[in-house]
Amino acid sequence: MNAVGVVGALGVGAYQLRTFAVEGRQRDADRRIERSLELYEDVVVGGDTAEAFHRLSVLLRHRGTEQFGRTTWLILTDDDFDPGGVLDPSATGVGTPFADFYRIIWFFERAENALDFGLLNEDVFFRTTGFHCWWWGQLLGQVSAAKAMKSLRGLAPRAEQWARTEGLLESWMSHCLTDFNGGPAAVAGAGPKQTPGPV
């Protein structure tokens, strides 16, 4: 009788362990989705990071439109870190273009690390934030002076590959016709003198 009780208790224990393991995996999966959505909120909803994204985007649109005479964005280069440049580091204060630039690339550094350590749901992350990785990868792709650019350089092609696989890349490129002639192929080798796409 005791043996039957022990076997039964072991069976119940094994079932509970399995249930806990399944629930734990589900909690981990749910948490990865939550973290992915939280990063998206950091870019678009509010807070210091979203404000930095917004301010620098507006500034680059203003500069691009001013330079080319139509609504488009300026693609940054290392020259923009020179005195008087868009990202002149001698400009001081919170919310300067230089400070916003670093807040933006630190966001991508955080996102890449979270992806590489398995803390995010890759599909959810790229579905929500992939466009931003790809788009900023083009705006900032010619900046090499900043060491922290490595993460955005890693994320932008991953986002592009994900979008290609999901059949979304053409839509992203079409959405950006006034930004950089529609995408990476048109931007390759382009500098500040590129011709913006049609409005």
Side-chain angles (χ1 to χ4, degrees), residues 150-173:
K150 176 181 172 292
S151 291
L152 180 55
R153 281 209 183 84
L155 281 174
R158 286 169 75 176
E160 182 178 327
Q161 182 55 51
W162 177 89
R164 183 176 283 111
T165 301
E166 296 294 315
L168 295 173
L169 185 59
E170 189 174 326
S171 171
W172 287 6
M173 294 172 76

Side-chain angles (χ1 to χ4, degrees), residues 13-120:
Y15 175 77
Q16 288 176 335
L17 284 174
R18 183 176 178 283
T19 301
F20 291 151
V22 169
E23 289 174 354
R25 283 193 296 272
Q26 185 58 53
R27 278 194 302 274
D28 288 346
D30 291 346
R31 187 65 188 124
R32 283 193 290 274
I33 290 172
E34 288 171 14
R35 285 192 192 105
S36 303
L37 294 174
E38 285 166 4
L39 282 176
Y40 174 67
E41 289 178 6
D42 284 351
V43 175
V44 300
V45 174
D48 293 341
T49 300
E51 288 171 10
F53 272 97
H54 176 72
R55 276 192 303 264
L56 191 56
S57 173
V58 168
L59 174 64
L60 296 181
R61 185 176 71 178
H62 174 73
R63 291 290 184 97
T65 300
E66 191 175 65
Q67 182 171 341
F68 299 117
R70 63 177 72 189
T71 302
T72 191
W73 272 255
L74 180 69
I75 294 176
L76 293 173
T77 69
D78 289 335
D79 292 343
D80 291 306
F81 288 89
D82 292 341
V86 177
L87 299 175
D88 182 353
S90 67
T92 58
V94 176
T96 64
F98 182 75
D100 287 343
F101 167 78
Y102 268 96
R103 184 171 286 278
I104 287 167
I105 60 176
W106 285 334
F107 166 85
F108 291 118
E109 194 171 59
R110 183 162 48 106
E112 185 187 46
N113 284 326
L115 268 175
D116 290 347
F117 283 106
L119 301 177
L120 302 178

